[in-house]
């Protein structure tokens, strides 16, 4: 179906931060499949883990115990606030699980009237009917009938509005610590702390959608760590499988109290292939020094982008973001800028709010950052001549 406005390029091979298209041209990848290829392309450790699992067992169903799920859930629990995990195949499914979990949490405690979720304008939570309603973006909901009920929306960052919208029917607050699709909008730590306090006061669950920010993207394993705010529920996907489809909904035992046997399921979720790769991604990203390097490389990219904005103000308006999740706000349609970058050999991703997203693999080198900055500066110089 023609549901994608695809760029006229087909990548057929990747290694590290490079992609080769079918004409044999090499591109520098600063999109990483939208924050997915966290260790770049064809990382030897991931290739080995996936190949070894492929020779052993592909699938067996959640009718049985799956040792790989115990391994990955145990690692995620040791690395986070969470006690338990449910595995799916995508981000949208992880958020569906979180929404169901929040409603069951209250229903199981004798409060079935608490089923509404407060979410934020500019957010993105997936393309299922539930997660579309959660984000509330009218453009994405258009033509699909009435939005699923039970979601309220406050402006992102507006704590007083959130406080007004949380009522006796509110089950949970769902928030991205950095809005990705919304344009790399970083939540103020005080806003997240205010939501935490609001949840503590009202008994609502605080649910962080870290599908794009998680697994080291912002320089911390999870973005909420940087803000010093612990959620009750967190969703992951994108980078968790380094390019193999997997999603997870993590929660404290208390938050997940309603998720009893038979309450939720997935045929493919937590498949042995996905778990083998996810375990290797987690081991690599949490190795000593890895995230320190991400922070240092992120600082280098941010400084370079600040200089770019200062040097090419006719095209670039501002930089935003943290770590290796950076956005460049443009004075023109970001799709035009993304296309110009791509023609110059740099792959990036557009976002809302006139933003071009820079999401390189976390293994990106200083030299590759400098190369990307030089390409962007060259495009800035040429687009000035064209204007
Ligand atoms: C990508 C994304 C999703 C949806 O993930 P899918 O795997 O496409 O379903 C949800 N939330 C956020 C923050 C995302 O970036």
């Amino acid at each position: 179906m023609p549901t994608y406005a695809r760029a006229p390029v087909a990548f057929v091979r990747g290694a590290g931060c490079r992609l080769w298209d079918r004409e044999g041209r090499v591109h520098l990848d600063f999109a990483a499949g939208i924050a997915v290829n966290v260790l770049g392309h064809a990382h030897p450790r991931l290739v080995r883990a996936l190949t070894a699992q492929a020779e052993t067992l592909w699938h067996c169903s959640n009718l049985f115990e799956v040792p790989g799920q115990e391994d990955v859930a145990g690692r995620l629990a040791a690395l986070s606030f969470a006690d338990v995990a449910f595995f799916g195949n995508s981000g949208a499914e992880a958020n569906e699980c979180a929404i169901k979990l929040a409603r069951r949490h209250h229903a199981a405690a004798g409060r079935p009237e608490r089923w509404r979720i407060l979410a934020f304008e500019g957010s993105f939570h997936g393309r299922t009917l539930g997660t579309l309603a959660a984000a509330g973006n009218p453009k994405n909901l258009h033509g699909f009938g009435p939005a699923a009920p039970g979601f309220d929306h406050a402006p992102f960052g507006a704590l007083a509005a959130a406080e007004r919208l949380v009522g006796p029917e509110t089950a949970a607050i769902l928030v991205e610590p950095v809005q990705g699709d919304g344009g790399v909008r970083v939540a103020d730590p005080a806003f997240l702390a205010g939501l935490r306090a609001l949840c503590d006061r009202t008994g609502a669950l605080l649910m962080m959608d870290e599908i794009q920010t998680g697994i080291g993207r912002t320089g911390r394993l999870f973005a909420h760590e940087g803000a010093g705010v612990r959620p009750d529920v967190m969703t992951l996907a994108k980078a968790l499988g380094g390019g193999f489809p997997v999603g997870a909904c993590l929660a404290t035992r208390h938050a997940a109290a309603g998720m009893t046997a038979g309450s939720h399921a997935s045929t493919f979720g937590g498949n042995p292939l996905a778990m083998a790769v996810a375990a290797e991604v987690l081991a690599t990203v949490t190795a000593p020094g890895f995230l320190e390097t991400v922070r240092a490389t992120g600082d280098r990219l941010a400084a370079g982008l600040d200089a770019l904005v200062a040097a090419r103000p006719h095209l670039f308006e501002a930089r935003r973001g943290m770590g290796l999740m950076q956005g460049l706000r443009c004075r023109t349609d970001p799709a035009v800028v993304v296309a110009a970058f791509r023609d110059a050999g740099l792959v990036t991703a557009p976002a809302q709010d006139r933003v071009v997203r820079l999401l390189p693999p976390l293994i990106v080198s200083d030299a590759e950052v400098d190369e990307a900055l030089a390409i962007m500066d060259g495009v800035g110089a040429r687009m000035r001549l064209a204007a």
Side-chain angles (χ1 to χ4, degrees):
M1 298 182 200
T3 61
Y4 299 100
R6 298 178 193 273
V9 57
F11 296 116
V12 292
R13 187 163 72 84
C17 299
R18 306 277 163 184
L19 284 165
W20 283 260
D21 68 27
R22 65 177 153 204
E23 271 78 51
R25 206 168 155 232
V26 191
H27 302 248
L28 183 57
D29 185 7
F30 267 51
I34 314 187
V36 167
N37 304 95
V38 75
L39 300 180
H41 301 277
H43 192 287
R45 284 183 64 163
L46 300 192
V47 172
R48 257 199 311 277
L50 183 62
T51 310
Q53 187 60 47
E55 288 169 346
T56 310
L57 179 70
W58 287 27
H59 180 81
C60 55
S61 150
N62 286 307
L63 293 169
F64 309 102
E65 294 176 5
V66 181
Q69 288 182 27
E70 291 162 23
D71 176 25
V72 176
R75 287 173 194 265
L76 288 167
L79 293 165
S80 76
F81 66 92
D83 303 311
V84 292
F86 180 90
F87 293 105
N89 313 286
S90 68
E93 284 171 275
N95 282 334
E96 288 283 339
C97 180
I99 294 162
K100 290 177 73 175
L101 175 153
R103 292 178 177 177
R104 282 283 280 216
H105 169 85
H106 293 285
R111 303 181 296 263
E113 73 285 357
R114 292 193 71 164
W115 66 290
R116 303 189 69 83
I117 313 276
L118 174 66
F120 295 93
E121 292 165 12
S123 61
F124 181 79
H125 297 302
R127 294 287 196 145
T128 60
L129 291 168
T131 55
L132 281 178
N137 182 336
K139 196 172 127 257
N140 292 344
L141 279 159
H142 177 74
F144 296 116
F151 299 95
D152 301 300
H153 298 96
F156 187 62
L159 186 58
E163 284 168 342
R164 273 196 304 280
L165 284 162
V166 167
E169 295 189 344
T170 304
I173 297 177
L174 175 62
V175 64
E176 290 166 85
V178 182
Q179 289 190 340
D181 186 74
V184 193
R185 298 164 78 201
V186 182
D188 184 342
F191 171 61
L192 296 178
L195 294 181
R196 176 72 272 175
L198 177 57
C199 287
D200 290 342
R201 271 201 312 280
T202 59
L205 300 177
L206 182 59
M207 312 205 292
M208 298 255 190
D209 180 340
E210 293 235 23
I211 288 164
Q212 191 159 152
T213 54
I215 319 294
R217 177 55 55 191
T218 65
R220 305 280 164 194
L221 187 59
F222 305 115
H224 68 260
E225 293 170 16
V229 175
R230 283 163 74 94
D232 303 295
V233 177
M234 168 171 66
T235 51
L236 299 173
K238 292 199 163 86
L240 180 58
F244 197 93
V246 61
C249 178
L250 311 187
T252 63
R253 209 173 298 286
H254 171 71
M259 300 304 274
T260 50
S263 62
H264 197 44
S266 165
T267 296
F268 291 124
N271 164 296
L273 295 167
M275 294 296 99
V277 182
E280 202 61 31
V281 167
L282 289 172
T284 308
V285 170
T286 57
F290 188 97
L291 290 173
E292 284 83 347
T293 305
V294 171
R295 289 196 286 276
T297 316
D299 287 347
R300 186 184 189 91
L301 177 59
L305 292 171
D306 284 338
L308 178 68
V309 169
R312 310 285 178 201
H314 65 288
L315 184 58
F316 305 119
E317 194 177 321
R319 173 201 65 90
R320 14 164 118 145
M322 52 204 302
L324 288 173
M325 182 172 187
Q326 296 289 336
L328 208 41
R329 191 158 201 267
C330 302
R331 295 197 192 276
T332 180
D333 180 356
V336 172
V337 179
V338 165
F341 285 168
R342 195 181 58 245
D343 288 344
L346 180 69
V347 181
T348 58
Q352 297 174 50
D353 204 25
R354 292 209 313 268
V355 166
V356 173
R357 271 179 291 182
L358 304 160
L359 308 161
L362 302 187
I363 56 163
V364 69
S365 68
D366 285 352
E368 286 162 335
V369 165
D370 295 347
E371 186 184 338
L373 289 165
I375 292 172
M376 290 186 271
D377 189 58
V379 167
R382 281 197 298 281
M383 286 184 78
R384 179 208 295 275
L385 294 177

